Every structure is written in C-alpha cells, then in structure tokens.
Amino acid sequence: MSLLTYPVDEAIAEQLAFMGKTADADRAWMLEYGPDMLRFCNTYEWCRDQTKPFVTELQDVPTTLIAWLHRYMVKGHAVAVHDVNDLPRNARAIQAEFRRQGNQSVLSVPIFHEEKLRGIIGFDATTRHRTWSRGEVHALFQCAGLVGQAKYRNQRNHGNTAYESSAPLVYLSMRGVARGVPPNTIVGVRSAGNYSEIWLENGSMVLDSRTLGMWSVLLPGQFFFRVHRTAIVNALHIVAVDRRSHDKWLIEMRAAANAWPVSRSYRKSLRERMGIWPRSSDQK
C-alpha cells in the first residue's frame, strides 16, 4: 500500500524497510542500472540496528564488479547465495565485495519493467548464514514487480532518471590492475579457457580474468554479437566479410592482425547485423 500512498522514492524506502523486517534480513537494498547497463548505483537501502550501510559507497560502479550476478539477472533468475564462501571461482570479484560488506548470505532478484532489466533488489544476512526459502524468493519477485511498476511506469528512458554518469567505461581485470576502456574501443573478445582475450582498437590485446560467457552479457548488445562460440565482435570495427569460401567465412576488423572465423550457426545474424544480402549458396 505504501507504493500507492507515498511519493515513489519515499514509498520504495518504506517498502524496503517493511520487506527487510518481515524477511528478518539485516540489510535490504535496491540497485539501479545506468542507461548503458555498464554501471549501477545503490539507490535505496535499509539496515537493521548496527548493520553498516553501503549505499553511499556503491555509486556509479562498473557492472563488471557484479558480472557473475549480472548474467543471471539478465535472464530473469533469482540468485540465492546461502554461503558467500561457497561461490565459484568466476565469482571472486563479487565474493570479495560481499565479504567487504560483511555478508554471509545474499538473496538477489532482478527488477524488470516493459521486459527490460532496470535493477536488482535483495536482502543481505550479516549476523548469520541464511537458507532462503522458495516462499521468500517468490515474495521478493512479487515485490520487485511492484517496485518496477511504481518506479518506471512514467519514465520513457531506461534506467534511473537521477543517474548521472560520464562516458561509460568497461573495466578490464589484468594481473591485479583494473583498466577502464570505452566499450567502443573494444574490437572483439575471444575465449581463452577460463580467461578472455580483449582486443582493442590500438592493436593491443589484454588477457582478462572473466570468461567469454560473462562478456556476452556485459557488452552492449547494440553493437556486440557472437560470430563463433569462442568469439564476440564489435560491429563498428568490422571492415570486411570474406565469403569466397563456402566452408569458411572470415571477418576482418580494424587493428586485428588476423581474420576471425565465423561459425555456420552465426552467419545469418552476421548478415542481418551488417546488412549483407544472402546468396543462394549461403547457409541460413
């Protein structure tokens, strides 16, 4: 009822407090993505008793910090972490953040509006481990839907209208150093086992500690798409598509010394992205 009675910001704050107390959580929070989905802000937070707040610290944060979580949010899945110490290797970045916040268990649910991911809402348990029940997950999903309606129903633009950000950066993780680069400077990404090769427009290659699967949801779908199960390319950097061999298509890109192969299953999407008219011999 608070979502209907109060102004939206006050209503969401009241809702988080009610949800946190009802679920016996130590912290209830809401994150909102920026328009480009590359950064997020912690816009609402409720804390129980002496639990430390983090809302002021998590502002304009690269989505790469929560890459492991983000890939599930994009798919509309809830993520119930019963013990942060049991997270997989590819979740080390967010595991470190959970530990920094003193979290022992975390429940996260995506906020969608008009079929677009707008944010994440969730609970933290800091004083003890929690096993989140199906009922709690279902209830949080319902609350996320109501919050999304209240927050975004009168907004035409994706994301938080109060969100202000400079030019978006994607942060590459390499040998203990995080380097921010504009996404349009990334030529392509290739799988290297549990790592990824990030090819940049200056001709350099950075070995990043995240898998190709994570990069497939981090990079803006407006320009980036798969051409192979092991490769993602930036359409803005493709300079030629070699279709002379029926069995082997190749694409040439700026700053990449060698051409990259295109799998048969991705030829149709490549043609559509590049506006290439199909030949009778092309596989659809």
Side-chain angles (χ1 to χ4, degrees), residues 80-101:
V81 178
H82 306 306
D83 187 341
V84 300
N85 296 313
D86 292 338
L87 289 174
R89 180 184 178 281
N90 61 356
R92 285 182 178 176
I94 196 169
Q95 183 183 56
E97 178 60 23
F98 285 160
R99 287 172 173 168
R100 184 180 79 91
Q101 296 183 26

Side-chain angles (χ1 to χ4, degrees), residues 16-30 42 44-55 81-82 84 98 101-107 122-132 136 140:
L16 280 184
F18 172 78
M19 290 161 49
K21 293 174 183 177
T22 303
D24 196 24
D26 297 306
R27 191 186 291 121
W29 45 266
M30 177 174 166
N42 188 173
Y44 304 90
E45 186 181 73
W46 166 85
C47 294
R48 181 187 297 277
D49 300 329
Q50 302 302 312
T51 303
K52 181 181 177 181
F54 283 87
V55 64
V81 178
H82 306 306
V84 300
F98 285 160
Q101 296 183 26
N103 297 337
Q104 298 193 47
S105 304
V106 181
L107 175 60
F123 297 142
D124 296 340
T126 62
T127 56
R128 69 192 190 285
H129 290 105
R130 285 284 304 274
T131 299
W132 308 102
E136 288 171 322
L140 190 55

Side-chain angles (χ1 to χ4, degrees), residues 232-252:
I232 299 169
V233 299
N234 185 344
L236 299 177
H237 288 281
I238 296 176
V239 296
V241 179
D242 185 349
R243 299 186 292 165
R244 289 175 293 181
S245 171
H246 174 72
D247 295 326
K248 186 177 182 180
W249 283 23
L250 297 171
I251 56 173
E252 298 176 10

